[in-house]
């Protein structure tokens, strides 16, 4: 299956469920980007902290992508924890 925004959304949701279930994916923000670097941009929320991030194609497709994707999402959670608003409402 060719990787597109729909498949990227499915993969992100699946990986978040196991790697960082307290992160909320902004499904409407998921966009496939072909250039200048192929990958997917997507938004995540932790508490009231939001970030728009980019995932290179190599981390969401190709050999062993599942492990790399989960690792990147755990790293994104660590990044969002640094925002003061990540603790608001918890």
């Amino acid at each position: 299956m060719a990787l597109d925004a729909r498949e990227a959304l499915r993969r992100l949701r699946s990986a978040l469920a196991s790697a960082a279930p307290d992160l909320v994916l902004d499904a409407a923000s998921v966009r496939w980007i072909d250039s200048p670097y192929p990958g997917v941009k997507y938004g995540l929320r932790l508490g009231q902290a939001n970030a728009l991030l980019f995932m290179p194609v190599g981390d969401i497709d190709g050999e062993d992508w599942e492990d790399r994707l989960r690792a990147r999402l755990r790293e994104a959670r660590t990044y969002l924890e640094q925002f003061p608003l990540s603790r608001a409402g918890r």
Side-chain angles (χ1 to χ4, degrees):
M1 164 178 267
L3 192 60
D4 59 12
R6 181 177 292 186
E7 179 61 13
L9 176 61
R10 186 193 69 73
R11 290 179 184 194
L12 285 165
R13 283 181 172 157
S14 176
L16 278 170
S18 63
D22 55 343
L23 288 178
V24 177
L25 177 65
D26 176 7
S29 70
V30 176
R31 298 279 187 268
W32 180 256
I33 306 296
D34 286 317
S35 66
Y37 305 103
V40 63
K41 70 177 183 176
Y42 60 102
L44 291 177
R45 185 175 72 240
L46 179 63
Q48 294 180 10
N50 295 283
L52 183 61
L53 303 165
F54 176 78
M55 178 84 55
V57 68
D59 288 337
I60 196 167
D61 198 22
E63 189 174 330
D64 298 325
W65 67 265
E66 294 98 339
D67 295 332
R68 284 191 311 281
L69 179 56
R70 284 191 295 270
R72 297 304 171 259
L73 292 173
R74 285 190 293 272
E75 291 167 0
R77 187 188 188 293
T78 299
Y79 172 69
L80 280 164
E81 286 175 342
Q82 305 306 307
F83 290 54
L85 291 176
S86 69
R87 294 174 288 282
R90 290 173 147 205

